[in-house]
Coordinates of all heavy atoms in Angstrom, one line a residue:
M2 N 5.8 73.8 66.6 CA 6.5 74.5 67.6 C 7.3 75.6 66.9 O 8.0 75.4 66.0 CB 7.5 73.6 68.4 CG 8.4 74.3 69.4 SD 7.7 75.1 70.8 CE 6.6 73.9 71.5
G3 N 7.1 76.8 67.4 CA 7.7 78.0 66.8 C 9.1 78.3 67.4 O 9.6 77.5 68.2
T4 N 9.6 79.4 67.0 CA 11.0 79.8 67.5 C 10.9 81.1 68.3 O 12.0 81.6 68.8 CB 11.9 79.9 66.3 OG1 11.4 80.9 65.4 CG2 12.1 78.6 65.6
N5 N 9.8 81.7 68.4 CA 9.7 83.0 69.1 C 9.8 82.8 70.6 O 8.9 82.2 71.2 CB 8.4 83.7 68.8 CG 8.2 85.1 69.4 OD1 9.1 85.6 70.1 ND2 7.1 85.8 69.1
M6 N 10.8 83.3 71.2 CA 11.1 83.1 72.7 C 10.8 84.3 73.5 O 11.2 84.5 74.6 CB 12.5 82.6 72.9 CG 12.9 81.3 72.2 SD 11.7 79.9 72.5 CE 12.0 79.6 74.2
D7 N 9.9 85.2 73.0 CA 9.5 86.4 73.7 C 8.3 86.0 74.6 O 7.2 85.7 74.0 CB 9.1 87.5 72.8 CG 8.7 88.8 73.5 OD1 7.7 88.7 74.3 OD2 9.3 89.8 73.2
L8 N 8.4 85.9 75.9 CA 7.4 85.4 76.8 C 6.1 86.3 76.7 O 5.0 85.8 76.7 CB 7.9 85.3 78.2 CG 6.9 84.7 79.2 CD1 6.6 83.2 78.9 CD2 7.5 84.8 80.6
E9 N 6.3 87.6 76.6 CA 5.2 88.5 76.5 C 4.4 88.3 75.3 O 3.1 88.3 75.3 CB 5.6 90.0 76.6 CG 4.4 90.9 76.8 CD 4.8 92.3 77.2 OE1 6.0 92.6 77.3 OE2 3.9 93.2 77.3
Q10 N 5.0 88.1 74.2 CA 4.3 87.8 72.9 C 3.6 86.4 73.0 O 2.6 86.2 72.4 CB 5.3 87.8 71.7 CG 5.7 89.3 71.4 CD 6.6 89.4 70.2 OE1 6.8 88.4 69.5 NE2 7.1 90.6 70.0
H11 N 4.3 85.4 73.7 CA 3.6 84.1 73.9 C 2.3 84.3 74.6 O 1.3 83.8 74.2 CB 4.6 83.2 74.7 CG 3.9 82.0 75.3 ND1 3.6 80.9 74.5 CD2 3.4 81.8 76.5 CE1 3.0 80.0 75.3 NE2 2.9 80.5 76.5
Q12 N 2.3 85.1 75.7 CA 1.1 85.3 76.4 C 0.1 86.1 75.7 O -1.1 85.8 75.6 CB 1.4 85.9 77.8 CG 0.3 86.0 78.8 CD -0.7 87.1 78.5 OE1 -0.3 88.2 78.1 NE2 -1.9 86.9 78.8
A13 N 0.5 87.2 75.0 CA -0.4 88.1 74.3 C -1.0 87.4 73.1 O -2.1 87.7 72.7 CB 0.3 89.3 73.9
G14 N -0.3 86.4 72.5 CA -0.9 85.7 71.4 C -2.2 85.0 71.6 O -3.0 84.8 70.7
L15 N -2.5 84.7 72.9 CA -3.7 84.0 73.2 C -4.9 85.0 73.0 O -6.0 84.5 72.8 CB -3.7 83.6 74.7 CG -2.6 82.5 75.0 CD1 -2.6 82.2 76.5 CD2 -2.9 81.2 74.2
G16 N -4.6 86.3 73.0 CA -5.7 87.3 72.9 C -6.1 87.6 71.5 O -6.9 88.5 71.3
G17 N -5.5 86.9 70.5 CA -5.8 87.2 69.2 C -4.9 88.0 68.4 O -4.9 88.2 67.2
T18 N -3.9 88.6 69.1 CA -2.9 89.4 68.4 C -1.9 88.4 67.8 O -1.4 87.5 68.5 CB -2.1 90.3 69.4 OG1 -3.1 91.1 70.1 CG2 -1.1 91.1 68.7
Y19 N -1.6 88.6 66.5 CA -0.7 87.7 65.9 C 0.8 88.0 66.2 O 1.2 89.1 66.1 CB -0.8 87.6 64.4 CG 0.2 86.7 63.7 CD1 0.1 85.4 63.8 CD2 1.4 87.3 63.2 CE1 1.0 84.5 63.3 CE2 2.3 86.4 62.6 CZ 2.2 85.1 62.7 OH 3.1 84.2 62.2
Y20 N 1.5 87.0 66.6 CA 3.0 87.1 66.8 C 3.6 85.8 66.1 O 2.8 84.8 66.0 CB 3.4 87.1 68.2 CG 2.9 88.4 68.9 CD1 1.8 88.4 69.8 CD2 3.6 89.6 68.7 CE1 1.4 89.6 70.4 CE2 3.2 90.8 69.4 CZ 2.1 90.8 70.2 OH 1.7 91.9 70.8
P21 N 4.8 85.9 65.7 CA 5.4 84.6 65.2 C 5.2 83.5 66.2 O 5.2 83.7 67.4 CB 6.9 85.0 65.1 CG 6.9 86.5 65.0 CD 5.8 87.0 65.8
E22 N 5.0 82.3 65.7 CA 4.6 81.2 66.5 C 5.6 81.0 67.7 O 6.8 81.0 67.6 CB 4.7 79.9 65.7 CG 4.0 78.7 66.3 CD 3.8 77.5 65.4 OE1 3.8 77.7 64.2 OE2 3.8 76.4 65.9
S23 N 5.0 80.8 68.9 CA 5.7 80.7 70.1 C 6.6 79.5 70.2 O 6.2 78.4 69.7 CB 4.7 80.7 71.3 OG 5.3 80.5 72.5
G24 N 7.7 79.7 70.8 CA 8.7 78.6 71.1 C 8.5 78.0 72.5 O 9.3 77.3 73.0
F25 N 7.4 78.4 73.2 CA 7.1 77.9 74.5 C 6.0 76.8 74.5 O 5.0 76.9 73.7 CB 6.6 79.0 75.4 CG 7.7 80.0 75.8 CD1 7.8 81.2 75.1 CD2 8.6 79.7 76.8 CE1 8.8 82.1 75.5 CE2 9.6 80.6 77.1 CZ 9.7 81.8 76.5
V26 N 6.0 75.9 75.4 CA 4.9 75.0 75.7 C 4.3 75.6 76.9 O 4.9 75.7 78.0 CB 5.4 73.6 76.0 CG1 4.3 72.7 76.4 CG2 6.2 73.0 74.8
G27 N 3.0 75.9 76.8 CA 2.2 76.5 77.9 C 1.6 75.4 78.7 O 1.0 74.4 78.2
T28 N 1.7 75.5 80.0 CA 1.1 74.5 81.0 C 0.4 75.3 82.1 O 0.6 76.5 82.2 CB 2.2 73.6 81.6 OG1 3.0 74.4 82.5 CG2 3.1 73.0 80.6
T29 N -0.3 74.7 82.9 CA -1.0 75.3 84.0 C -0.7 74.5 85.3 O -0.6 73.3 85.2 CB -2.5 75.4 83.8 OG1 -3.1 76.1 85.0 CG2 -3.2 74.1 83.6
E30 N -0.6 75.2 86.4 CA -0.5 74.5 87.7 C -1.9 74.2 88.3 O -2.0 73.6 89.3 CB 0.4 75.3 88.7 CG -0.1 76.7 89.0 CD 0.8 77.4 89.9 OE1 1.9 77.8 89.4 OE2 0.5 77.6 91.1
S31 N -2.9 74.7 87.6 CA -4.3 74.5 88.1 C -4.9 73.3 87.4 O -5.2 73.3 86.2 CB -5.1 75.7 87.8 OG -6.5 75.4 88.0
L32 N -5.1 72.2 88.1 CA -5.8 71.0 87.6 C -7.2 71.4 87.1 O -7.6 70.9 86.0 CB -5.9 69.9 88.6 CG -6.5 68.6 88.1 CD1 -5.8 68.0 86.9 CD2 -6.5 67.6 89.2
A33 N -7.9 72.2 87.8 CA -9.3 72.6 87.4 C -9.3 73.3 86.1 O -10.1 73.0 85.2 CB -9.9 73.5 88.5
Y34 N -8.3 74.2 85.9 CA -8.2 74.9 84.6 C -7.8 74.0 83.5 O -8.4 74.0 82.4 CB -7.2 76.1 84.7 CG -7.2 76.9 83.4 CD1 -8.2 77.7 83.0 CD2 -6.1 76.7 82.5 CE1 -8.2 78.4 81.8 CE2 -6.1 77.4 81.3 CZ -7.2 78.2 80.9 OH -7.1 78.9 79.7
G35 N -6.9 73.1 83.8 CA -6.5 72.1 82.8 C -7.7 71.2 82.4 O -7.9 70.9 81.2
Q36 N -8.5 70.8 83.3 CA -9.7 70.0 83.0 C -10.7 70.8 82.2 O -11.3 70.2 81.3 CB -10.3 69.4 84.3 CG -9.4 68.4 84.9 CD -9.9 68.1 86.4 OE1 -10.4 68.9 87.1 NE2 -9.6 66.8 86.8
Q37 N -10.9 72.1 82.5 CA -11.8 72.9 81.7 C -11.3 73.0 80.3 O -12.1 72.8 79.4 CB -11.8 74.3 82.3 CG -12.6 75.3 81.5 CD -12.4 76.7 82.0 OE1 -12.2 77.0 83.2 NE2 -12.5 77.7 81.1
R38 N -10.0 73.2 80.1 CA -9.5 73.3 78.7 C -9.6 72.0 78.0 O -9.8 71.9 76.8 CB -8.0 73.8 78.7 CG -7.8 75.2 79.2 CD -8.3 76.2 78.2 NE -7.6 76.1 76.9 CZ -8.1 76.3 75.7 NH1 -9.3 76.6 75.5 NH2 -7.3 76.1 74.7
Q39 N -9.4 70.9 78.7 CA -9.6 69.6 78.1 C -11.0 69.4 77.6 O -11.2 68.9 76.5 CB -9.2 68.5 79.1 CG -9.3 67.1 78.5 CD -9.0 66.0 79.5 OE1 -9.4 66.1 80.6 NE2 -8.4 64.9 79.0
Q40 N -12.0 69.8 78.4 CA -13.4 69.7 78.0 C -13.6 70.5 76.7 O -14.4 70.1 75.8 CB -14.3 70.0 79.1 CG -14.3 69.0 80.2 CD -15.2 69.5 81.4 OE1 -15.6 70.6 81.5 NE2 -15.3 68.6 82.4
E41 N -13.0 71.7 76.7 CA -13.3 72.6 75.6 C -12.6 72.2 74.3 O -13.1 72.4 73.2 CB -12.7 74.0 75.9 CG -13.5 74.7 77.0 CD -12.8 76.0 77.5 OE1 -11.6 76.3 77.1 OE2 -13.3 76.6 78.4
T42 N -11.4 71.5 74.4 CA -10.7 71.1 73.2 C -10.7 69.7 72.8 O -10.4 69.3 71.7 CB -9.2 71.5 73.4 OG1 -8.7 70.7 74.5 CG2 -9.0 73.0 73.7
G43 N -11.1 68.8 73.8 CA -11.2 67.4 73.5 C -9.8 66.8 73.5 O -9.6 65.7 72.9
M44 N -8.8 67.4 74.0 CA -7.4 66.9 74.0 C -7.1 66.2 75.3 O -7.8 66.3 76.3 CB -6.5 68.1 73.7 CG -6.7 68.8 72.4 SD -5.7 70.2 72.1 CE -4.2 69.4 71.7
Y45 N -5.9 65.5 75.3 CA -5.4 64.9 76.5 C -4.9 65.9 77.5 O -4.5 67.0 77.1 CB -4.3 63.9 76.1 CG -4.8 62.6 75.4 CD1 -4.6 62.5 74.1 CD2 -5.5 61.6 76.1 CE1 -5.1 61.3 73.4 CE2 -5.9 60.5 75.5 CZ -5.7 60.4 74.1 OH -6.2 59.2 73.5
L46 N -4.9 65.6 78.7 CA -4.4 66.4 79.8 C -3.2 65.7 80.4 O -3.3 64.6 80.9 CB -5.5 66.7 80.9 CG -5.1 67.5 82.1 CD1 -4.7 68.9 81.7 CD2 -6.3 67.6 83.0
Y47 N -2.0 66.3 80.3 CA -0.8 65.7 80.8 C -0.5 66.2 82.2 O -0.6 67.3 82.6 CB 0.4 66.1 79.9 CG 0.2 65.4 78.5 CD1 -0.5 66.1 77.5 CD2 0.7 64.2 78.2 CE1 -0.7 65.5 76.3 CE2 0.5 63.6 77.0 CZ -0.2 64.2 76.0 OH -0.4 63.7 74.8
D48 N 0.0 65.2 83.0 CA 0.5 65.4 84.4 C 2.0 65.7 84.3 O 2.8 64.7 84.3 CB 0.1 64.2 85.2 CG 0.6 64.3 86.7 OD1 1.0 65.4 87.1 OD2 0.4 63.3 87.4
I49 N 2.4 66.9 84.3 CA 3.8 67.3 84.1 C 4.5 67.6 85.4 O 3.9 68.4 86.2 CB 4.0 68.5 83.2 CG1 3.4 68.1 81.8 CG2 5.4 69.0 83.1 CD1 3.2 69.3 80.9
R50 N 5.6 67.0 85.7 CA 6.3 67.2 86.9 C 7.8 67.5 86.6 O 8.7 66.7 86.9 CB 6.2 66.0 87.9 CG 4.7 65.8 88.2 CD 4.5 64.7 89.2 NE 3.1 64.3 89.3 CZ 2.7 63.4 90.1 NH1 3.5 62.8 90.9 NH2 1.4 63.0 90.1
A51 N 8.0 68.5 85.9 CA 9.4 68.9 85.4 C 10.2 69.4 86.6 O 9.7 70.1 87.5 CB 9.3 69.9 84.3
N52 N 11.5 69.2 86.5 CA 12.4 69.6 87.5 C 12.6 71.1 87.6 O 12.8 71.6 88.7 CB 13.7 68.9 87.4 CG 13.6 67.4 87.7 OD1 13.0 67.0 88.7 ND2 14.2 66.6 86.9
D53 N 12.6 71.8 86.5 CA 12.9 73.2 86.5 C 11.7 74.1 86.7 O 11.8 75.3 87.0 CB 13.7 73.6 85.3 CG 12.8 73.6 84.0 OD1 11.6 73.3 84.1 OD2 13.4 73.9 83.0
G54 N 10.5 73.6 86.5 CA 9.3 74.4 86.7 C 8.9 75.4 85.6 O 7.9 76.1 85.7
G55 N 9.7 75.5 84.6 CA 9.4 76.5 83.6 C 9.4 77.9 84.0 O 9.9 78.2 85.1
R56 N 8.9 78.8 83.2 CA 8.9 80.2 83.5 C 7.5 80.6 84.0 O 6.5 80.3 83.3 CB 9.2 81.1 82.3 CG 10.7 80.9 81.9 CD 11.1 81.6 80.7 NE 11.0 83.1 80.9 CZ 11.3 84.0 80.0 NH1 11.6 83.6 78.8 NH2 11.2 85.3 80.2
D57 N 7.4 81.1 85.2 CA 6.1 81.5 85.8 C 5.6 82.8 85.2 O 6.1 83.9 85.4 CB 6.3 81.7 87.3 CG 5.0 82.0 88.1 OD1 4.0 82.4 87.4 OD2 5.0 81.7 89.3
V58 N 4.6 82.6 84.3 CA 4.1 83.8 83.5 C 3.6 84.9 84.4 O 3.8 86.1 84.2 CB 3.1 83.3 82.5 CG1 2.5 84.5 81.7 CG2 3.7 82.3 81.5
N59 N 2.8 84.5 85.4 CA 2.3 85.6 86.3 C 3.3 86.3 87.1 O 3.2 87.5 87.3 CB 1.2 84.9 87.3 CG 0.0 84.5 86.6 OD1 -0.2 84.9 85.4 ND2 -0.8 83.8 87.2
A60 N 4.4 85.6 87.5 CA 5.5 86.3 88.2 C 6.3 87.2 87.3 O 6.7 88.3 87.7 CB 6.4 85.3 88.8
E61 N 6.5 86.8 86.0 CA 7.2 87.6 85.1 C 6.4 88.7 84.4 O 7.0 89.7 84.0 CB 7.9 86.7 84.1 CG 9.0 85.8 84.6 CD 9.8 85.1 83.6 OE1 10.1 85.8 82.5 OE2 10.1 83.9 83.8
L62 N 5.1 88.5 84.3 CA 4.2 89.4 83.6 C 3.0 89.7 84.5 O 1.9 89.4 84.2 CB 3.7 88.9 82.3 CG 4.8 88.5 81.3 CD1 4.2 87.8 80.1 CD2 5.6 89.7 80.8
P63 N 3.3 90.4 85.7 CA 2.2 90.7 86.6 C 1.1 91.5 85.9 O 1.3 92.4 85.1 CB 2.8 91.4 87.7 CG 4.2 91.8 87.3 CD 4.5 91.0 86.1
G64 N -0.2 91.1 86.2 CA -1.3 91.9 85.7 C -1.7 91.4 84.3 O -2.5 92.1 83.6
N65 N -1.1 90.3 83.8 CA -1.5 89.9 82.4 C -2.9 89.5 82.3 O -3.5 89.1 83.3 CB -0.5 88.8 81.9 CG -0.7 87.5 82.6 OD1 -1.7 86.8 82.3 ND2 0.2 87.1 83.5
N66 N -3.5 89.5 81.1 CA -4.9 89.2 80.9 C -5.3 87.7 81.1 O -6.4 87.4 81.2 CB -5.3 89.6 79.5 CG -5.3 91.1 79.4 OD1 -5.5 91.9 80.4 ND2 -5.2 91.6 78.2
S67 N -4.3 86.9 81.2 CA -4.5 85.4 81.4 C -4.0 84.9 82.7 O -3.7 83.7 82.8 CB -3.9 84.7 80.2 OG -4.4 85.1 79.0
S68 N -4.0 85.7 83.7 CA -3.4 85.3 85.0 C -4.2 84.1 85.6 O -3.6 83.3 86.3 CB -3.4 86.5 86.0 OG -4.7 87.0 86.2
H69 N -5.5 84.0 85.3 CA -6.3 82.9 85.8 C -5.8 81.5 85.3 O -6.1 80.5 85.9 CB -7.8 83.1 85.4 CG -8.0 83.0 83.9 ND1 -7.7 84.1 83.1 CD2 -8.4 82.0 83.1 CE1 -7.9 83.8 81.8 NE2 -8.4 82.5 81.8
E70 N -5.0 81.5 84.3 CA -4.5 80.2 83.7 C -3.4 79.7 84.6 O -3.0 78.5 84.5 CB -3.9 80.5 82.3 CG -5.0 80.8 81.3 CD -4.5 81.0 79.9 OE1 -3.3 80.9 79.7 OE2 -5.3 81.4 79.1
M71 N -2.7 80.5 85.4 CA -1.6 80.1 86.3 C -0.6 79.3 85.5 O -0.2 78.2 85.8 CB -2.2 79.2 87.5 CG -3.1 80.0 88.3 SD -4.1 79.0 89.5 CE -2.8 78.2 90.4
E72 N -0.2 80.0 84.4 CA 0.7 79.3 83.4 C 2.2 79.3 83.8 O 2.7 80.3 84.3 CB 0.5 80.0 82.1 CG 1.4 79.4 81.0 CD 1.2 80.1 79.6 OE1 0.4 81.0 79.5 OE2 1.9 79.6 78.7
H73 N 2.8 78.2 83.4 CA 4.2 78.0 83.4 C 4.6 77.7 82.0 O 4.0 76.8 81.4 CB 4.7 76.9 84.4 CG 4.6 77.3 85.8 ND1 5.7 77.7 86.6 CD2 3.5 77.5 86.6 CE1 5.3 78.0 87.8 NE2 4.0 77.9 87.8
A74 N 5.5 78.5 81.4 CA 5.9 78.3 80.0 C 7.3 77.6 79.9 O 8.2 78.1 80.6 CB 5.9 79.6 79.3
Y75 N 7.3 76.5 79.2 CA 8.6 75.8 79.1 C 9.2 76.1 77.7 O 8.5 75.9 76.7 CB 8.3 74.3 79.2 CG 8.0 73.9 80.6 CD1 6.7 74.0 81.1 CD2 9.0 73.5 81.5 CE1 6.4 73.7 82.4 CE2 8.7 73.1 82.8 CZ 7.4 73.2 83.3 OH 7.1 72.9 84.5
P76 N 10.5 76.5 77.7 CA 11.1 76.7 76.4 C 11.2 75.4 75.6 O 11.7 74.4 76.1 CB 12.5 77.2 76.8 CG 12.4 77.6 78.2 CD 11.3 76.7 78.8
R77 N 10.7 75.5 74.4 CA 10.8 74.5 73.3 C 10.1 73.2 73.6 O 9.2 72.8 72.8 CB 12.3 74.2 73.0 CG 13.1 75.4 72.8 CD 13.5 75.4 71.3 NE 14.4 76.6 71.1 CZ 14.0 77.7 70.5 NH1 12.8 77.8 70.1 NH2 14.8 78.7 70.4
S78 N 10.3 72.5 74.7 CA 9.7 71.2 74.9 C 9.8 70.7 76.3 O 10.5 71.3 77.1 CB 10.3 70.1 74.0 OG 11.7 69.9 74.3
I79 N 9.1 69.7 76.6 CA 9.1 69.1 77.9 C 9.6 67.6 77.7 O 9.0 66.9 76.9 CB 7.7 69.1 78.6 CG1 7.3 70.5 78.9 CG2 7.8 68.3 79.9 CD1 5.9 70.7 79.3
D80 N 10.6 67.2 78.4 CA 11.2 65.9 78.2 C 10.1 64.9 78.6 O 9.5 65.0 79.7 CB 12.4 65.7 79.1 CG 13.2 64.5 78.8 OD1 12.7 63.4 79.3 OD2 14.1 64.5 78.0
P81 N 9.9 63.8 77.8 CA 8.9 62.8 78.1 C 9.1 62.2 79.5 O 8.1 61.7 80.1 CB 9.1 61.8 77.0 CG 9.6 62.5 75.9 CD 10.5 63.6 76.5
S82 N 10.3 62.1 80.0 CA 10.6 61.5 81.4 C 10.0 62.4 82.5 O 10.0 62.0 83.6 CB 12.1 61.3 81.6 OG 12.8 62.5 81.7
E83 N 9.6 63.6 82.1 CA 9.0 64.5 83.1 C 7.5 64.6 83.1 O 6.9 65.4 83.7 CB 9.6 65.9 83.0 CG 11.1 65.9 83.3 CD 11.8 67.3 83.2 OE1 11.4 68.1 82.3 OE2 12.6 67.6 84.1
I84 N 6.9 63.7 82.3 CA 5.5 63.5 82.2 C 5.1 62.3 83.1 O 5.4 61.2 82.7 CB 5.0 63.4 80.8 CG1 5.4 64.6 80.0 CG2 3.5 63.2 80.7 CD1 5.2 64.5 78.5
A85 N 4.4 62.6 84.2 CA 4.1 61.5 85.1 C 3.0 60.6 84.5 O 2.9 59.4 84.8 CB 3.6 62.0 86.4
G86 N 2.1 61.2 83.7 CA 1.0 60.4 83.2 C 0.1 61.3 82.4 O 0.4 62.5 82.1
V87 N -1.1 60.8 82.0 CA -2.0 61.5 81.1 C -3.4 61.1 81.5 O -3.7 59.9 81.8 CB -1.7 61.2 79.6 CG1 -1.8 59.8 79.3 CG2 -2.6 62.1 78.7
W88 N -4.4 62.1 81.4 CA -5.8 61.8 81.5 C -6.3 61.8 80.1 O -6.1 62.8 79.4 CB -6.5 62.8 82.3 CG -6.3 62.8 83.8 CD1 -6.9 62.0 84.7 CD2 -5.3 63.5 84.5 NE1 -6.4 62.3 86.0 CE2 -5.4 63.2 85.9 CE3 -4.3 64.5 84.2 CZ2 -4.6 63.7 86.9 CZ3 -3.5 65.0 85.2 CH2 -3.7 64.7 86.5
D89 N -7.1 60.7 79.7 CA -7.7 60.8 78.4 C -9.0 61.6 78.5 O -9.4 62.1 79.6 CB -8.0 59.3 77.9 CG -8.9 58.5 78.7 OD1 -9.8 59.1 79.5 OD2 -8.9 57.3 78.6
T90 N -9.7 61.7 77.4 CA -10.9 62.5 77.4 C -12.1 61.9 78.2 O -13.1 62.6 78.5 CB -11.4 62.8 76.0 OG1 -11.6 61.5 75.3 CG2 -10.3 63.6 75.2
S91 N -12.0 60.7 78.7 CA -13.0 60.1 79.6 C -12.6 60.2 81.0 O -13.3 59.8 81.9 CB -13.1 58.6 79.2 OG -13.6 58.5 77.9
G92 N -11.4 60.8 81.3 CA -11.0 61.0 82.7 C -10.2 59.9 83.2 O -9.8 59.9 84.4
N93 N -9.8 58.9 82.4 CA -9.0 57.8 82.8 C -7.5 58.2 82.8 O -7.0 58.8 81.9 CB -9.2 56.6 81.9 CG -10.6 56.1 81.9 OD1 -11.2 55.9 83.0 ND2 -11.2 56.0 80.7
Y94 N -6.8 57.9 83.9 CA -5.4 58.3 84.0 C -4.5 57.1 83.7 O -4.8 56.0 84.2 CB -5.1 58.7 85.5 CG -3.7 59.2 85.7 CD1 -3.4 60.6 85.4 CD2 -2.7 58.4 86.2 CE1 -2.2 61.1 85.6 CE2 -1.4 58.9 86.4 CZ -1.2 60.3 86.1 OH 0.1 60.8 86.3
T95 N -3.5 57.3 82.9 CA -2.5 56.3 82.6 C -1.1 56.8 83.0 O -0.7 57.9 82.6 CB -2.5 56.0 81.1 OG1 -3.8 55.6 80.7 CG2 -1.5 55.0 80.7
A96 N -0.5 56.1 83.9 CA 0.9 56.5 84.3 C 1.9 56.3 83.2 O 1.8 55.3 82.4 CB 1.3 55.7 85.6
N97 N 2.9 57.1 83.2 CA 4.0 57.0 82.2 C 5.0 56.0 82.8 O 5.7 56.4 83.8 CB 4.6 58.3 81.9 CG 5.8 58.3 81.0 OD1 6.2 57.2 80.5 ND2 6.5 59.4 80.8
P98 N 5.3 54.9 82.2 CA 6.2 53.9 82.8 C 7.7 54.4 82.8 O 8.5 53.9 83.5 CB 6.1 52.7 82.0 CG 5.5 53.1 80.7 CD 4.6 54.3 81.0
N99 N 7.9 55.5 82.0 CA 9.3 56.0 81.8 C 9.4 57.3 82.6 O 10.4 58.0 82.4 CB 9.6 56.3 80.3 CG 9.5 55.0 79.5 OD1 10.1 54.0 80.0 ND2 8.8 55.0 78.4
F100 N 8.5 57.6 83.5 CA 8.6 58.8 84.3 C 9.8 58.8 85.2 O 10.0 57.8 85.9 CB 7.3 59.0 85.1 CG 7.4 60.2 86.1 CD1 7.5 61.5 85.6 CD2 7.3 59.9 87.4 CE1 7.6 62.5 86.5 CE2 7.4 61.0 88.3 CZ 7.5 62.3 87.9
G101 N 10.6 59.9 85.2 CA 11.8 59.9 86.0 C 12.0 61.3 86.6 O 13.0 61.6 87.2
G102 N 11.0 62.2 86.5 CA 11.1 63.5 87.0 C 10.9 63.6 88.5 O 10.9 62.5 89.2
R103 N 10.6 64.8 89.0 CA 10.4 64.9 90.5 C 9.1 64.2 90.8 O 8.2 64.1 90.0 CB 10.4 66.3 90.9 CG 9.3 67.2 90.4 CD 9.4 68.6 90.9 NE 8.6 69.5 90.2 CZ 7.3 69.7 90.5 NH1 6.7 69.0 91.5 NH2 6.6 70.6 89.8
R104 N 9.0 63.8 92.1 CA 7.8 63.0 92.5 C 7.0 63.8 93.6 O 7.5 64.5 94.3 CB 8.2 61.7 92.9 CG 8.8 60.9 91.8 CD 9.2 59.5 92.2 NE 9.9 58.9 91.1 CZ 9.4 58.3 90.1 NH1 8.1 58.2 89.9 NH2 10.2 57.8 89.1

C-alpha cells in the first residue's frame, strides 16, 4: 500500500503511467466487472459493504478512461468488519463471521 492520495493519479496509474504507489484500495460496484477481473487475475473477490462508500471515481473524475470499472476508491484500507464475505476462484461464497458493516 502506497501513500499517494491523489485520486487522479490513482486512476491514471492503471493506464501504464507511473505514479508513486497509490494509497487507495480500488473497488467496483459492478459484480460482473469484479468477476471478470477475478477470472483474469485468479484472485479472490470480496463482498465489501462499507459504511462510507469510498470516493466515487466516476463522479469525481467524469470522462475518465476507466469509467466502465464503476470504481469506488477507499483511502488506505477497508476495515475487515466491512467485508461481508468472499468468493473464491471456484465461485464459492464464504460469509465473514465478523461482518458488522451495513447490510
Side-chain angles (χ1 to χ4, degrees):
M2 175 65 52
T4 58
N5 183 357
M6 299 308 293
D7 183 301
L8 187 62
E9 190 169 0
Q10 289 182 6
H11 164 78
Q12 191 278 326
L15 297 174
T18 303
Y19 176 77
Y20 292 102
E22 193 171 335
S23 177
F25 289 99
V26 176
T28 68
T29 179
E30 63 184 69
S31 168
L32 180 58
Y34 182 74
Q36 291 168 329
Q37 174 190 329
R38 292 291 297 148
Q39 182 184 37
Q40 290 174 352
E41 293 169 357
T42 64
M44 299 177 77
Y45 289 104
L46 177 61
Y47 293 90
D48 180 6
I49 298 168
R50 301 187 194 177
N52 290 317
D53 70 1
R56 293 178 65 183
D57 184 337
V58 174
N59 289 348
E61 292 191 40
L62 303 172
N65 73 75
N66 292 335
S67 299
S68 61
H69 64 281
E70 294 179 2
M71 299 170 56
E72 180 177 0
H73 287 254
Y75 290 84
R77 308 251 183 256
S78 65
I79 296 169
D80 191 278
S82 70
E83 296 184 319
I84 300 172
V87 60
W88 287 274
D89 66 20
T90 55
S91 299
N93 299 310
Y94 186 84
T95 302
N97 175 7
N99 298 312
F100 173 64
R103 68 179 167 82
R104 299 183 187 273

